[in-house]
Short mmCIF file of all heavy atoms in Angstrom, two decimals:
data_model
loop_
_atom_site.label_atom_id
_atom_site.label_comp_id
_atom_site.label_asym_id
_atom_site.label_seq_id
_atom_site.Cartn_x
_atom_site.Cartn_y
_atom_site.Cartn_z
N GLY B 153 -70.70 -46.53 18.76
CA GLY B 153 -70.51 -45.64 17.62
C GLY B 153 -71.81 -44.93 17.29
O GLY B 153 -72.86 -45.56 17.21
N VAL B 154 -71.72 -43.60 17.10
CA VAL B 154 -72.89 -42.85 16.63
C VAL B 154 -72.42 -42.04 15.43
O VAL B 154 -71.55 -41.17 15.56
CB VAL B 154 -73.42 -41.89 17.72
CG1 VAL B 154 -74.60 -41.08 17.18
CG2 VAL B 154 -73.82 -42.65 18.97
N ILE B 155 -72.94 -42.37 14.26
CA ILE B 155 -72.52 -41.60 13.10
C ILE B 155 -73.75 -41.03 12.39
O ILE B 155 -74.84 -41.61 12.45
CB ILE B 155 -71.63 -42.40 12.11
CG1 ILE B 155 -72.37 -43.55 11.45
CG2 ILE B 155 -70.39 -42.93 12.85
CD1 ILE B 155 -71.53 -44.26 10.38
N GLY B 156 -73.55 -39.87 11.79
CA GLY B 156 -74.68 -39.20 11.15
C GLY B 156 -74.30 -38.60 9.81
O GLY B 156 -73.17 -38.15 9.61
N PHE B 157 -75.26 -38.67 8.91
CA PHE B 157 -75.08 -38.07 7.58
C PHE B 157 -76.35 -37.31 7.23
O PHE B 157 -77.40 -37.55 7.81
CB PHE B 157 -74.84 -39.17 6.53
CG PHE B 157 -73.55 -39.92 6.73
CD1 PHE B 157 -73.54 -41.10 7.48
CD2 PHE B 157 -72.37 -39.45 6.19
CE1 PHE B 157 -72.35 -41.80 7.67
CE2 PHE B 157 -71.19 -40.16 6.39
CZ PHE B 157 -71.18 -41.32 7.12
N ARG B 158 -76.25 -36.45 6.22
CA ARG B 158 -77.45 -35.72 5.80
C ARG B 158 -78.47 -36.70 5.21
O ARG B 158 -79.64 -36.63 5.49
CB ARG B 158 -77.11 -34.62 4.79
CG ARG B 158 -76.52 -33.37 5.43
CD ARG B 158 -76.82 -32.11 4.63
NE ARG B 158 -76.52 -32.26 3.22
CZ ARG B 158 -75.29 -32.18 2.70
NH1 ARG B 158 -74.26 -31.91 3.48
NH2 ARG B 158 -75.10 -32.33 1.40
N ASN B 159 -77.95 -37.62 4.35
CA ASN B 159 -78.86 -38.61 3.77
C ASN B 159 -78.07 -39.85 3.37
O ASN B 159 -76.84 -39.89 3.47
CB ASN B 159 -79.61 -38.04 2.56
CG ASN B 159 -78.65 -37.59 1.47
OD1 ASN B 159 -77.86 -38.41 0.97
ND2 ASN B 159 -78.67 -36.32 1.13
N LYS B 160 -78.77 -40.84 2.90
CA LYS B 160 -78.21 -42.17 2.64
C LYS B 160 -77.08 -42.15 1.60
O LYS B 160 -76.10 -42.89 1.69
CB LYS B 160 -79.35 -43.09 2.15
CG LYS B 160 -79.01 -44.56 2.11
CD LYS B 160 -80.29 -45.38 1.86
CE LYS B 160 -80.11 -46.85 2.17
NZ LYS B 160 -79.40 -47.61 1.20
N THR B 161 -77.21 -41.25 0.61
CA THR B 161 -76.22 -41.25 -0.48
C THR B 161 -74.83 -40.83 0.01
O THR B 161 -73.84 -41.08 -0.66
CB THR B 161 -76.64 -40.30 -1.62
OG1 THR B 161 -76.66 -38.97 -1.11
CG2 THR B 161 -78.01 -40.67 -2.18
N LEU B 162 -74.78 -40.17 1.15
CA LEU B 162 -73.49 -39.67 1.64
C LEU B 162 -72.78 -40.65 2.58
O LEU B 162 -71.66 -40.41 3.00
CB LEU B 162 -73.70 -38.33 2.36
CG LEU B 162 -74.24 -37.20 1.48
CD1 LEU B 162 -74.65 -36.01 2.33
CD2 LEU B 162 -73.22 -36.78 0.43
N VAL B 163 -73.45 -41.74 2.90
CA VAL B 163 -72.91 -42.68 3.90
C VAL B 163 -71.64 -43.36 3.38
O VAL B 163 -71.57 -43.77 2.22
CB VAL B 163 -73.95 -43.75 4.26
CG1 VAL B 163 -73.35 -44.81 5.20
CG2 VAL B 163 -75.18 -43.11 4.90
N PHE B 164 -70.63 -43.42 4.21
CA PHE B 164 -69.43 -44.20 3.88
C PHE B 164 -68.90 -44.85 5.16
O PHE B 164 -69.19 -44.42 6.26
CB PHE B 164 -68.35 -43.35 3.21
CG PHE B 164 -67.76 -42.28 4.10
CD1 PHE B 164 -66.61 -42.54 4.86
CD2 PHE B 164 -68.33 -41.04 4.19
CE1 PHE B 164 -66.06 -41.56 5.69
CE2 PHE B 164 -67.79 -40.06 5.02
CZ PHE B 164 -66.66 -40.32 5.76
N TRP B 165 -68.13 -45.91 5.00
CA TRP B 165 -67.44 -46.61 6.10
C TRP B 165 -68.40 -47.16 7.16
O TRP B 165 -67.98 -47.39 8.29
CB TRP B 165 -66.41 -45.70 6.75
CG TRP B 165 -65.13 -45.61 5.98
CD1 TRP B 165 -64.89 -46.04 4.72
CD2 TRP B 165 -63.89 -45.07 6.46
NE1 TRP B 165 -63.60 -45.80 4.35
CE2 TRP B 165 -62.96 -45.20 5.40
CE3 TRP B 165 -63.47 -44.50 7.65
CZ2 TRP B 165 -61.63 -44.77 5.52
CZ3 TRP B 165 -62.15 -44.06 7.75
CH2 TRP B 165 -61.25 -44.19 6.71
N GLU B 166 -69.66 -47.41 6.79
CA GLU B 166 -70.60 -47.91 7.79
C GLU B 166 -70.13 -49.27 8.33
O GLU B 166 -70.05 -49.48 9.54
CB GLU B 166 -72.00 -48.03 7.19
CG GLU B 166 -73.03 -48.50 8.21
CD GLU B 166 -74.43 -48.69 7.63
OE1 GLU B 166 -74.66 -48.24 6.48
OE2 GLU B 166 -75.26 -49.30 8.31
N ASP B 167 -69.77 -50.18 7.42
CA ASP B 167 -69.37 -51.53 7.84
C ASP B 167 -68.05 -51.50 8.62
O ASP B 167 -67.89 -52.18 9.62
CB ASP B 167 -69.23 -52.45 6.62
CG ASP B 167 -70.59 -52.69 5.96
OD1 ASP B 167 -71.61 -52.46 6.64
OD2 ASP B 167 -70.61 -53.08 4.78
N LYS B 168 -67.13 -50.70 8.11
CA LYS B 168 -65.83 -50.58 8.74
C LYS B 168 -65.96 -50.06 10.17
O LYS B 168 -65.31 -50.53 11.10
CB LYS B 168 -65.00 -49.61 7.87
CG LYS B 168 -63.54 -49.51 8.20
CD LYS B 168 -62.81 -48.70 7.10
CE LYS B 168 -61.50 -48.20 7.63
NZ LYS B 168 -60.42 -48.12 6.65
N PHE B 169 -66.83 -49.09 10.32
CA PHE B 169 -67.05 -48.47 11.62
C PHE B 169 -67.76 -49.45 12.56
O PHE B 169 -67.39 -49.62 13.71
CB PHE B 169 -67.88 -47.20 11.45
CG PHE B 169 -67.63 -46.17 12.51
CD1 PHE B 169 -66.77 -45.12 12.27
CD2 PHE B 169 -68.25 -46.25 13.76
CE1 PHE B 169 -66.53 -44.16 13.25
CE2 PHE B 169 -68.01 -45.30 14.74
CZ PHE B 169 -67.15 -44.26 14.48
N ARG B 170 -68.79 -50.09 12.01
CA ARG B 170 -69.58 -51.05 12.78
C ARG B 170 -68.69 -52.14 13.37
O ARG B 170 -68.88 -52.58 14.50
CB ARG B 170 -70.64 -51.66 11.86
CG ARG B 170 -71.81 -52.30 12.57
CD ARG B 170 -72.72 -52.99 11.55
NE ARG B 170 -73.57 -52.07 10.80
CZ ARG B 170 -74.77 -51.65 11.22
NH1 ARG B 170 -75.23 -52.04 12.38
NH2 ARG B 170 -75.49 -50.85 10.47
N ALA B 171 -67.66 -52.54 12.58
CA ALA B 171 -66.80 -53.65 12.98
C ALA B 171 -65.97 -53.35 14.24
O ALA B 171 -65.51 -54.26 14.90
CB ALA B 171 -65.87 -54.03 11.83
N VAL B 172 -65.77 -52.07 14.56
CA VAL B 172 -64.98 -51.74 15.76
C VAL B 172 -65.87 -51.24 16.91
O VAL B 172 -65.36 -50.75 17.91
CB VAL B 172 -63.88 -50.69 15.45
CG1 VAL B 172 -62.89 -51.25 14.43
CG2 VAL B 172 -64.47 -49.37 14.98
N CYS B 173 -67.16 -51.37 16.73
CA CYS B 173 -68.08 -50.90 17.77
C CYS B 173 -68.83 -52.06 18.41
O CYS B 173 -69.17 -53.04 17.76
CB CYS B 173 -69.11 -49.93 17.17
SG CYS B 173 -68.40 -48.39 16.62
N ASP B 174 -69.10 -51.90 19.70
CA ASP B 174 -69.95 -52.87 20.38
C ASP B 174 -71.42 -52.56 20.13
O ASP B 174 -72.26 -53.45 20.11
CB ASP B 174 -69.65 -52.84 21.88
CG ASP B 174 -68.23 -53.30 22.16
OD1 ASP B 174 -67.98 -54.51 22.11
OD2 ASP B 174 -67.36 -52.42 22.37
N GLU B 175 -71.71 -51.29 19.98
CA GLU B 175 -73.05 -50.87 19.59
C GLU B 175 -72.89 -49.81 18.53
O GLU B 175 -71.89 -49.09 18.51
CB GLU B 175 -73.80 -50.25 20.79
CG GLU B 175 -74.38 -51.26 21.74
CD GLU B 175 -75.10 -50.58 22.88
OE1 GLU B 175 -75.83 -49.60 22.63
OE2 GLU B 175 -74.90 -51.01 24.04
N PHE B 176 -73.87 -49.70 17.66
CA PHE B 176 -73.72 -48.81 16.53
C PHE B 176 -75.05 -48.15 16.21
O PHE B 176 -76.08 -48.82 16.08
CB PHE B 176 -73.22 -49.63 15.33
CG PHE B 176 -72.95 -48.81 14.11
CD1 PHE B 176 -71.81 -48.02 14.02
CD2 PHE B 176 -73.84 -48.81 13.04
CE1 PHE B 176 -71.56 -47.26 12.89
CE2 PHE B 176 -73.59 -48.04 11.91
CZ PHE B 176 -72.45 -47.27 11.84
N ILE B 177 -75.03 -46.84 16.13
CA ILE B 177 -76.25 -46.09 15.81
C ILE B 177 -75.95 -45.19 14.62
O ILE B 177 -74.94 -44.46 14.63
CB ILE B 177 -76.70 -45.21 17.01
CG1 ILE B 177 -77.00 -46.09 18.23
CG2 ILE B 177 -77.92 -44.36 16.64
CD1 ILE B 177 -77.13 -45.32 19.54
N ILE B 178 -76.77 -45.28 13.60
CA ILE B 178 -76.58 -44.38 12.45
C ILE B 178 -77.82 -43.50 12.33
O ILE B 178 -78.94 -43.95 12.54
CB ILE B 178 -76.27 -45.18 11.15
CG1 ILE B 178 -75.98 -44.23 9.98
CG2 ILE B 178 -77.37 -46.17 10.80
CD1 ILE B 178 -75.31 -44.89 8.79
N CYS B 179 -77.57 -42.22 12.03
CA CYS B 179 -78.65 -41.24 11.95
C CYS B 179 -78.57 -40.53 10.60
O CYS B 179 -77.49 -40.39 10.03
CB CYS B 179 -78.53 -40.16 13.03
SG CYS B 179 -77.90 -40.74 14.60
N SER B 180 -79.71 -40.07 10.13
CA SER B 180 -79.69 -39.22 8.95
C SER B 180 -80.72 -38.11 9.12
O SER B 180 -81.75 -38.30 9.78
CB SER B 180 -79.96 -40.02 7.67
OG SER B 180 -81.21 -40.68 7.78
N ASP B 181 -80.43 -36.95 8.53
CA ASP B 181 -81.32 -35.80 8.68
C ASP B 181 -82.72 -36.12 8.14
O ASP B 181 -83.72 -35.68 8.68
CB ASP B 181 -80.76 -34.59 7.90
CG ASP B 181 -79.46 -34.09 8.50
OD1 ASP B 181 -78.95 -34.75 9.43
OD2 ASP B 181 -78.95 -33.05 8.04
N ASP B 182 -82.76 -36.88 7.02
CA ASP B 182 -84.05 -37.11 6.35
C ASP B 182 -84.63 -38.50 6.65
O ASP B 182 -85.63 -38.88 6.08
CB ASP B 182 -83.91 -36.91 4.84
CG ASP B 182 -82.93 -37.90 4.22
OD1 ASP B 182 -82.33 -38.71 4.98
OD2 ASP B 182 -82.75 -37.87 3.00
N GLY B 183 -83.94 -39.27 7.49
CA GLY B 183 -84.45 -40.58 7.83
C GLY B 183 -84.23 -41.63 6.75
O GLY B 183 -84.72 -42.75 6.87
N SER B 184 -83.47 -41.30 5.71
CA SER B 184 -83.25 -42.27 4.63
C SER B 184 -82.37 -43.43 5.07
O SER B 184 -82.30 -44.46 4.42
CB SER B 184 -82.67 -41.58 3.38
OG SER B 184 -81.49 -40.88 3.72
N VAL B 185 -81.66 -43.25 6.17
CA VAL B 185 -80.92 -44.37 6.74
C VAL B 185 -80.92 -44.20 8.27
O VAL B 185 -80.85 -43.07 8.77
CB VAL B 185 -79.48 -44.46 6.17
CG1 VAL B 185 -78.70 -43.18 6.43
CG2 VAL B 185 -78.72 -45.66 6.73
N GLY B 186 -81.07 -45.31 9.00
CA GLY B 186 -81.03 -45.29 10.46
C GLY B 186 -82.13 -44.44 11.06
O GLY B 186 -83.20 -44.26 10.46
N ILE B 187 -81.84 -43.89 12.23
CA ILE B 187 -82.88 -43.08 12.87
C ILE B 187 -82.92 -41.71 12.22
O ILE B 187 -81.89 -41.16 11.79
CB ILE B 187 -82.68 -42.98 14.40
CG1 ILE B 187 -81.36 -42.31 14.77
CG2 ILE B 187 -82.78 -44.34 15.06
CD1 ILE B 187 -81.21 -42.07 16.27
N LYS B 188 -84.11 -41.15 12.13
CA LYS B 188 -84.26 -39.82 11.55
C LYS B 188 -83.92 -38.80 12.63
O LYS B 188 -84.59 -38.76 13.67
CB LYS B 188 -85.69 -39.62 11.06
CG LYS B 188 -85.95 -38.28 10.39
CD LYS B 188 -87.36 -38.24 9.80
CE LYS B 188 -87.62 -37.02 8.94
NZ LYS B 188 -87.50 -35.74 9.61
N GLY B 189 -82.88 -38.04 12.37
CA GLY B 189 -82.50 -37.04 13.37
C GLY B 189 -81.01 -36.77 13.32
O GLY B 189 -80.28 -37.28 12.46
N LEU B 190 -80.59 -35.95 14.25
CA LEU B 190 -79.18 -35.56 14.33
C LEU B 190 -78.41 -36.54 15.20
O LEU B 190 -79.01 -37.34 15.93
CB LEU B 190 -79.07 -34.15 14.92
CG LEU B 190 -79.87 -33.06 14.21
CD1 LEU B 190 -79.83 -31.76 15.01
CD2 LEU B 190 -79.33 -32.83 12.79
N VAL B 191 -77.08 -36.45 15.17
CA VAL B 191 -76.28 -37.34 16.03
C VAL B 191 -76.61 -37.11 17.50
O VAL B 191 -76.50 -38.03 18.31
CB VAL B 191 -74.75 -37.18 15.80
CG1 VAL B 191 -74.35 -37.73 14.45
CG2 VAL B 191 -74.30 -35.75 16.00
N THR B 192 -77.06 -35.91 17.83
CA THR B 192 -77.42 -35.67 19.24
C THR B 192 -78.60 -36.56 19.66
O THR B 192 -78.67 -36.97 20.82
CB THR B 192 -77.77 -34.18 19.46
OG1 THR B 192 -78.61 -33.75 18.39
CG2 THR B 192 -76.53 -33.32 19.50
N ASP B 193 -79.47 -36.88 18.71
CA ASP B 193 -80.56 -37.81 19.02
C ASP B 193 -79.99 -39.20 19.26
O ASP B 193 -80.44 -39.91 20.16
CB ASP B 193 -81.59 -37.83 17.87
CG ASP B 193 -82.25 -36.47 17.71
OD1 ASP B 193 -82.72 -35.92 18.72
OD2 ASP B 193 -82.26 -35.95 16.58
N GLY B 194 -79.00 -39.57 18.44
CA GLY B 194 -78.33 -40.86 18.64
C GLY B 194 -77.63 -40.91 20.00
O GLY B 194 -77.66 -41.93 20.69
N ILE B 195 -77.02 -39.80 20.37
CA ILE B 195 -76.31 -39.75 21.66
C ILE B 195 -77.31 -39.92 22.81
O ILE B 195 -77.06 -40.66 23.76
CB ILE B 195 -75.55 -38.41 21.82
CG1 ILE B 195 -74.42 -38.32 20.79
CG2 ILE B 195 -74.98 -38.27 23.24
CD1 ILE B 195 -73.78 -36.94 20.68
N LYS B 196 -78.46 -39.24 22.67
CA LYS B 196 -79.47 -39.35 23.74
C LYS B 196 -79.94 -40.79 23.89
O LYS B 196 -80.13 -41.28 25.00
CB LYS B 196 -80.65 -38.41 23.44
CG LYS B 196 -80.32 -36.96 23.72
CD LYS B 196 -81.44 -36.03 23.28
CE LYS B 196 -80.99 -34.58 23.31
NZ LYS B 196 -81.79 -33.75 22.40
N GLN B 197 -80.09 -41.47 22.76
CA GLN B 197 -80.49 -42.88 22.79
C GLN B 197 -79.44 -43.71 23.53
O GLN B 197 -79.76 -44.55 24.37
CB GLN B 197 -80.65 -43.37 21.35
CG GLN B 197 -81.27 -44.75 21.23
CD GLN B 197 -81.43 -45.15 19.75
OE1 GLN B 197 -81.88 -44.36 18.92
NE2 GLN B 197 -81.05 -46.37 19.44
N ALA B 198 -78.15 -43.45 23.22
CA ALA B 198 -77.06 -44.21 23.83
C ALA B 198 -76.97 -43.92 25.33
O ALA B 198 -76.81 -44.84 26.14
CB ALA B 198 -75.73 -43.88 23.15
N THR B 199 -77.09 -42.65 25.69
CA THR B 199 -76.94 -42.31 27.11
C THR B 199 -78.12 -42.81 27.94
O THR B 199 -77.96 -43.15 29.11
CB THR B 199 -76.77 -40.78 27.31
OG1 THR B 199 -77.86 -40.12 26.65
CG2 THR B 199 -75.46 -40.29 26.75
N ALA B 200 -79.27 -42.89 27.31
CA ALA B 200 -80.44 -43.41 28.02
C ALA B 200 -80.23 -44.89 28.34
O ALA B 200 -80.58 -45.36 29.43
CB ALA B 200 -81.69 -43.22 27.18
N ALA B 201 -79.62 -45.61 27.40
CA ALA B 201 -79.41 -47.06 27.60
C ALA B 201 -78.21 -47.34 28.49
O ALA B 201 -78.11 -48.41 29.09
CB ALA B 201 -79.25 -47.73 26.24
N HIS B 202 -77.24 -46.41 28.52
CA HIS B 202 -75.99 -46.65 29.25
C HIS B 202 -75.70 -45.50 30.20
O HIS B 202 -75.03 -44.54 29.83
CB HIS B 202 -74.81 -46.80 28.29
CG HIS B 202 -74.89 -47.99 27.40
ND1 HIS B 202 -74.44 -49.23 27.75
CD2 HIS B 202 -75.42 -48.12 26.17
CE1 HIS B 202 -74.66 -50.09 26.78
NE2 HIS B 202 -75.26 -49.44 25.79
N PRO B 203 -76.19 -45.57 31.43
CA PRO B 203 -75.89 -44.46 32.36
C PRO B 203 -74.41 -44.41 32.76
O PRO B 203 -73.98 -43.44 33.37
CB PRO B 203 -76.79 -44.78 33.56
CG PRO B 203 -77.21 -46.20 33.41
CD PRO B 203 -77.05 -46.61 31.99
N ASP B 204 -73.65 -45.46 32.39
CA ASP B 204 -72.25 -45.54 32.84
C ASP B 204 -71.25 -45.01 31.81
O ASP B 204 -70.06 -45.31 31.89
CB ASP B 204 -71.91 -47.00 33.17
CG ASP B 204 -72.08 -47.92 31.96
OD1 ASP B 204 -72.84 -47.52 31.02
OD2 ASP B 204 -71.46 -48.99 31.94
N ILE B 205 -71.71 -44.25 30.83
CA ILE B 205 -70.77 -43.74 29.82
C ILE B 205 -69.75 -42.79 30.47
O ILE B 205 -70.12 -41.86 31.18
CB ILE B 205 -71.55 -43.03 28.69
CG1 ILE B 205 -72.29 -44.08 27.86
CG2 ILE B 205 -70.61 -42.23 27.79
CD1 ILE B 205 -73.32 -43.51 26.91
N ASP B 206 -68.46 -43.08 30.21
CA ASP B 206 -67.39 -42.29 30.84
C ASP B 206 -66.95 -41.12 29.97
O ASP B 206 -66.47 -40.11 30.47
CB ASP B 206 -66.15 -43.17 31.07
CG ASP B 206 -66.46 -44.39 31.91
OD1 ASP B 206 -66.86 -44.21 33.06
OD2 ASP B 206 -66.34 -45.52 31.39
#
Side-chain angles (χ1 to χ4, degrees):
Chain B
V154 178
I155 66 175
F157 295 92
R158 281 208 312 280
N159 60 58
K160 192 169 195 283
T161 64
L162 297 170
V163 175
F164 66 92
W165 280 12
E166 182 183 348
D167 293 341
K168 190 170 161 146
F169 208 98
R170 199 185 283 273
V172 298
C173 292
D174 295 283
E175 280 180 43
F176 183 76
I177 299 166
I178 184 165
C179 324
S180 58
D181 294 6
D182 62 358
S184 55
V185 59
I187 61 174
K188 182 174 189 300
L190 305 172
V191 290
T192 44
D193 297 310
I195 294 169
K196 284 174 192 156
Q197 189 178 315
T199 53
H202 295 273
D204 60 339
I205 289 168
D206 303 297

